[in-house]
Amino acid sequence: MKREDPLSIYRKWFAELEFNLADEIAHTVFNAVVTCRSLNLLFIKKQTSESPGLASMSLISIIDHQITLQQKQSNRKFSMFLLDITSIILQVDEPQIPSLLEEYKEQYIRSLVNGNQVEANHFEVLIAQLSLELEREHAWNKLEASGFTFSAIYNDIDH
């Protein structure tokens, strides 16, 4: 039975991400490539910063092109690069507890009921931050569960 190419696994996972998170990953990938002086991607970086979702779609196009090349060594390097960038973006500093999110929501509602808009705004920001952290953690767990890991990428070259 043929194993699925790690780059294809990443592409499927990436295509299911929310646009804001996918765009953040894509922009980071493009910025890293631009930092490496890749002139071909300078144009892509400039284009992708203009519209939400465009960076994600550009990265998916690049991944699709790389998959069609069917060059194991090149795909392995590109997969490792994507995994490095993605792990940096999705890294959660400390595990967040869903009960903390519920507590913030309760505090937010209590503040609104008490007419304390400043405090409500504070909890609204905390809720948004914690929700993003939970989204990142969920995305990372899903990527790991998909089989796109450092060891899978290294083992793929031998098959």
Side-chain angles (χ1 to χ4, degrees), residues 72-100:
K72 286 263 190 191
Q73 194 70 306
S74 177
N75 283 2
R76 178 181 174 201
K77 288 178 183 177
F78 190 53
S79 293
M80 292 300 286
F81 173 72
L82 289 174
L83 186 54
D84 283 340
I85 296 293
T86 303
S87 68
I88 291 167
I89 296 296
L90 298 182
Q91 184 177 358
V92 178
D93 290 336
E94 54 188 70
Q96 301 297 331
I97 304 168
S99 61
L100 186 58

Side-chain angles (χ1 to χ4, degrees), residues 117-137:
Q117 190 60 46
V118 172
E119 189 174 279
N121 290 344
H122 172 72
F123 282 109
E124 187 174 23
V125 168
L126 291 176
I127 290 168
Q129 289 172 343
L130 191 54
S131 295
L132 180 59
E133 289 296 313
L134 290 173
E135 181 182 338
R136 289 172 189 270
E137 184 177 19

Side-chain angles (χ1 to χ4, degrees), residues 96-114:
Q96 301 297 331
I97 304 168
S99 61
L100 186 58
L101 181 59
E102 290 305 314
E103 180 182 325
Y104 287 166
K105 288 177 180 179
E106 289 174 14
Q107 291 291 340
Y108 171 75
I109 292 170
R110 214 174 286 130
S111 298
L112 285 177
V113 168
N114 292 334

Side-chain angles (χ1 to χ4, degrees), residues 7 11-12 24-26 29 43 50 59 62 79 83 87 89 94 109 116 122 138 143-144 157:
L7 202 49
R11 191 230 185 268
K12 286 178 188 174
E24 183 179 354
I25 291 169
V29 166
F43 179 68
E50 297 171 9
L59 183 56
I62 291 169
S79 293
L83 186 54
S87 68
I89 296 296
E94 54 188 70
I109 292 170
N116 189 341
H122 172 72
H138 174 72
L143 181 61
E144 283 186 319
I157 198 72

